[in-house]
């Protein structure tokens, strides 16, 4: 059913709760698609914005990890039609820029505005005022209008809450292992931070048959989750120096260390945990303005590599269907990641649980 007004959770001020409001949604313009949201994840990236650690402008509808059913398509849209089930990508893909040409569309540098449509106008309004939408999505709402290339059609027999997680946490975590770091079978891995994305780095490492997977966190309940997703060893960073503990467990360090918190200090630890010729990979997204320091000589005489990965270095049209096939084949655990389900009006409770580290992943189900 097409709506012209709908319920959405709006961020009106940093550090404040989201407010459930009635807003107006315009129909899709050429090259855009309207999607009825089935489920949307409660992700740390949204939380960074709520807390004001990332400031992009207000008022804004957050939400970027989402799946739903296509309601209607704008003029000139092909490849997706009403009734299709779809996972929403939170990155555009202009198709013609240097990065799209390289097959690196999640880094697309084509379209300009990240919080409105490609033509620079907004589709969501409140009392005549434009509302920004995070990543051109803004899925903390009953429906969204998004650029067509961000809508990836998918088989229609997968639960919406599982599909939603493919749109961020699963692809980011598993993709960091298989696309960015390219972890080889038999290698050793450490994962610092066992939240929704970190657990997916762990299960990605298990998927490619890493021999040791050391999970590092400060919370024992998260280390317990880590074991369920394939960690062979766990290290509680509050029980002594995490770097020393990982080195002791692995005979001097790991082949791959993943930082999945977004913290300058833990990035330094990831570098220190790698063995000679090892790779430290930054997955976590730090608050704007964070810094790390390291000994540059390490990168020469140990040939340490430091890499970063955005959105699992994914190609959504290839990787989303792959992640779903792996999930349906029982090789990735996605339903098991969902520890809480909420309705849209419980969204602030969802962020409180995330902030306290109580959940693997919380999902809002419509
Ligand atoms: Zn996310
Ligand atoms: Zn592009």
């Amino acid at each position: 059913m097409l709506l012209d007004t709908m319920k959405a959770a709006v961020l009106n001020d940093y550090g404040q709760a989201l407010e459930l409001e009635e807003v107006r949604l315009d129909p899709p313009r050429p090259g855009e698609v309207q999607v009825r949201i089935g489920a949307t994840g409660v992700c740390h990236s949204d939380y960074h914005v709520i807390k004001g650690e990332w400031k992009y402008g207000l008022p804004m509808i957050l939400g970027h990890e989402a799946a739903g059913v296509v309601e209607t398509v704008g003029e000139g849209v092909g490849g997706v039609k009403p009734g299709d089930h779809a996972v929403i990508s939170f990155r555009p893909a202009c198709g013609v820029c240097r990065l799209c040409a390289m097959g690196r569309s999640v880094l697309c540098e084509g379209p300009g505005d990240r919080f409105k449509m490609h033509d620079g106008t907004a589709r969501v309004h409140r009392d005549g005022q434009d509302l920004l939408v995070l990543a051109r999505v803004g899925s903390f709402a009953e429906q969204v209008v998004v650029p067509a290339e961000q809508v990836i059609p998918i088989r229609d027999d997968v639960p919406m809450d599982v599909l939603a997680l493919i749109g961020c946490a699963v692809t980011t975590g598993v993709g960091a292992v298989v696309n960015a770091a390219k972890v080889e079978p038999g290698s050793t891995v450490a994962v610092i931070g066992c939240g929704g994305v970190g657990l997916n780095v762990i299960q990605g490492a298990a998927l490619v048959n890493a021999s040791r997977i050391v999970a590092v966190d400060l919370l024992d309940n998260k280390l317990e989750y880590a074991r369920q997703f394939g960690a062979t060893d766990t290290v509680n960073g509050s029980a002594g120096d995490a770097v020393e503990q990982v080195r002791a467990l692995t005979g001097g360090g790991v082949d791959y260390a993943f930082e999945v918190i977004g913290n300058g200090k833990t990035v330094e630890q990831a570098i220190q945990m790698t063995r000679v010729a090892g790779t430290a990979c930054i997955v976590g997204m730090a608050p704007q303005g964070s810094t790390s320091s390291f000994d540059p000589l390490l990168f020469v005489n140990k040939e340490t590599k430091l890499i970063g990965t955005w959105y699992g270095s994914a190609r959504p049209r290839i990787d989303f269907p792959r992640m779903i096939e792996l999930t349906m084949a029982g090789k990735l655990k996605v339903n098991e990641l969902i520890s809480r389900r909420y309705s849209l009006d419980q969204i602030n409770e969802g962020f409180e649980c995330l902030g306290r580290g109580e959940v693997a992943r919380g999902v809002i189900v419509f």
Side-chain angles (χ1 to χ4, degrees), residues 43-46 64-65 90 168-169 172 197 361:
C43 177
H44 225 106
S45 294
D46 305 298
H64 62 283
E65 178 180 75
F90 62 78
C168 179
T172 300
V197 175
R361 200 59 156 186

Side-chain angles (χ1 to χ4, degrees), residues 184-203:
E184 303 96 350
S187 50
T188 54
V189 171
V191 181
I192 307 174
C194 302
V197 175
L199 293 174
N200 279 294
V201 174
I202 290 167
Q203 70 169 336

Side-chain angles (χ1 to χ4, degrees), residues 214 216 234-250:
V214 185
V216 183
T234 57
V235 162
N236 190 320
S238 61
D241 185 82
V243 174
E244 288 313 316
Q245 292 186 75
V246 170
R247 281 185 180 155
L249 274 169
T250 55

Side-chain angles (χ1 to χ4, degrees), residues 92-101 104-105 107-111:
C94 74
V96 294
C97 75
R98 181 178 70 93
L99 288 145
C100 283
R104 303 298 320 280
S105 66
L107 297 172
C108 175
E109 55 194 11

Side-chain angles (χ1 to χ4, degrees), residues 267-318:
V267 167
E268 294 170 10
Q269 291 181 327
I271 295 167
Q272 292 157 10
M273 278 176 196
T274 58
R275 66 197 290 198
V276 177
T279 299
C281 179
I282 306 176
V283 187
M285 300 183 73
Q288 290 165 338
S290 302
T291 57
S292 291
S293 63
F294 49 75
D295 175 359
L297 192 56
L298 269 182
F299 294 86
V300 180
N301 60 18
K302 281 178 66 182
E303 289 202 15
T304 303
K305 285 180 280 297
L306 176 61
I307 63 172
T309 172
W310 168 234
Y311 208 164
S313 305
R315 299 146 301 169
R317 272 170 209 280
I318 295 171

Side-chain angles (χ1 to χ4, degrees), residues 12-14 16 62 71 99 132 141 181 187 189 201 207-208 224 243 287 313 338 358 361:
N12 288 304
D13 222 336
Y14 298 113
Q16 300 296 312
L62 307 175
E71 280 286 344
L99 288 145
L132 302 174
S187 50
V189 171
V201 174
L207 180 73
V208 300
E224 186 46 46
V243 174
S313 305
I338 304 170
E358 289 173 6
R361 200 59 156 186

